[in-house]
Amino acid sequence: MMKRKLKFNAGRRAGVGETTTTSSAARISEEVKWEMRPGGMLVQKRGDNSGDAVSAPKLQIRVAYDAARFDLSVNSHATFGEVKKLITAETGLQPGEQRLIFRGKERENGDYLDMSGVRERSKLILIEDPESKERRFMQMRRNAKIQTSRRLIHDVAMDVDKLSEQVCAIEKSIGNGNKVAELQITTLIEMLMAQAVKLDNVHAEGDACAHKNLQSERVKKCVESLDELKVANNAQVKPPVVVATAKWKFLDDPPPPATTNWEIFD
């Protein structure tokens, strides 16, 4: 009889322990919230408790970008998207232009560092997005062409300044009544036309296009001025004055001596 009571009490104590353990596990499972991560992985959902973020340890991670290497101090509970924002300050690449590789796999912006296995001194590989890299390359080429166009237009403008001074000098000389060699005017016109050809071969955009048109207009006005000066220069040529030198004979003058030789025939 005593043995049966002991077994019964032991069974009751065991039942109470199992009930307590089961209820505790149920409460823990109710408190834990889960979320589906990219790739189908079920992980514990992060809470919005700011205290967790404050108490989370800092990590020193190294980022490799081409030949460059730099270290970042990040929160262990941070996401790869937040790391990309820090990388922007180092490289100038916007987050949408970055791809982060860790352990041979590209990581999504919402992936957490600690859940992905990132530890102290872990290494991330940064790759620029190919489409973004192509756009950057095309923009660099476009900027280089714009700079080249501006430099060519500037050089033409300097040459036009010098030629304009010569046009003004010729205009002043002809205005003072001086004769200018026509070859000088013709040569100056040819030099101006050569500058016009240079401008035609320049592909300009934006403000460079406006500067190009301005220089083309300057060349046109200089050529027109030289054409007018050529006409004025030719008009200054005066025909030679013919001086009459006729000799007058008077009737009172003695006749010229006779020079006729007579031949006598036998």
Side-chain angles (χ1 to χ4, degrees):
M1 186 68 180
M2 181 65 69
K3 292 180 178 180
R4 290 181 179 178
K5 288 183 179 180
L6 290 173
K7 291 180 179 179
F8 177 76
N9 292 334
R12 290 184 61 185
R13 287 194 297 271
V16 172
E18 292 175 1
T19 303
T20 303
T21 303
T22 303
S23 61
S24 298
R27 286 197 303 271
I28 294 173
S29 62
E30 289 177 358
E31 294 175 357
V32 176
K33 295 182 181 180
W34 303 87
E35 64 178 351
M36 186 68 68
R37 302 306 309 238
M41 182 173 63
L42 188 65
V43 298
Q44 181 178 349
K45 186 175 182 180
R46 296 284 192 191
D48 297 332
N49 189 358
S50 60
D52 295 339
V54 174
S55 60
K58 289 282 187 177
L59 298 177
Q60 290 290 332
I61 61 175
R62 172 157 292 188
V63 180
Y65 176 47
D66 292 338
R69 301 288 186 276
F70 53 90
D71 296 329
L72 294 177
S73 178
V74 297
N75 192 299
S76 61
H77 290 178
T79 63
F80 283 89
E82 293 170 336
V83 174
K84 289 181 179 180
K85 294 179 180 179
L86 298 177
I87 292 176
T88 298
E90 297 286 342
T91 64
L93 294 176
Q94 297 301 316
E97 301 173 341
Q98 303 176 28
R99 289 186 177 183
L100 285 178
I101 310 298
F102 178 63
R103 292 180 178 175
K105 179 182 177 182
E106 181 179 355
R107 303 296 172 166
E108 301 294 334
N109 291 337
D111 293 346
Y112 290 95
L113 298 180
D114 55 349
M115 289 185 177
S116 300
V118 178
R119 299 293 181 263
E120 181 73 15
R121 307 303 297 176
S122 290
K123 181 179 179 180
L124 305 182
I125 299 176
L126 172 62
I127 300 176
E128 186 177 357
D129 181 73
E131 294 182 359
S132 171
K133 193 173 184 178
E134 180 66 19
R135 289 194 300 269
R136 185 183 297 273
F137 176 73
M138 296 301 295
Q139 184 63 34
M140 289 176 61
R141 289 187 57 185
R142 181 173 178 271
N143 292 339
K145 289 182 178 180
I146 291 175
Q147 292 300 325
T148 301
S149 299
R150 289 177 176 174
R151 185 172 61 255
L152 292 174
I153 295 173
H154 175 74
D155 293 343
V156 170
M158 297 296 290
D159 291 338
V160 173
D161 288 342
K162 297 177 182 178
L163 295 175
S164 296
E165 293 178 358
Q166 297 183 36
V167 173
C168 293
I170 292 176
E171 183 178 11
K172 183 177 180 180
S173 179
I174 295 177
N176 292 333
N178 299 321
K179 177 76 165 89
V180 178
E182 185 173 349
L183 179 60
Q184 182 178 354
I185 299 177
T186 303
T187 302
L188 192 54
I189 291 176
E190 292 177 354
M191 296 174 66
L192 285 165
M193 294 305 297
Q195 300 301 321
V197 172
K198 289 182 181 179
L199 290 172
D200 288 340
N201 294 330
V202 174
H203 177 71
E205 298 180 6
D207 57 345
C209 184
H211 194 196
K212 171 186 173 181
N213 294 336
L214 176 62
Q215 299 307 317
S216 297
E217 189 65 23
R218 290 183 63 198
V219 171
K220 179 181 177 182
K221 289 182 178 180
C222 287
V223 172
E224 291 176 350
S225 297
L226 288 174
D227 288 336
E228 295 176 358
L229 291 173
K230 184 188 294 186
V231 175
N233 188 54
N234 293 332
Q236 290 184 2
V237 178
K238 299 179 180 180
V241 178
V242 179
V243 179
T245 58
K247 294 183 178 180
W248 297 90
K249 294 183 178 182
F250 299 94
L251 297 176
D252 295 337
D253 292 342
T259 58
T260 302
N261 296 326
W262 297 91
E263 183 177 354
I264 301 174
F265 294 93
D266 295 335

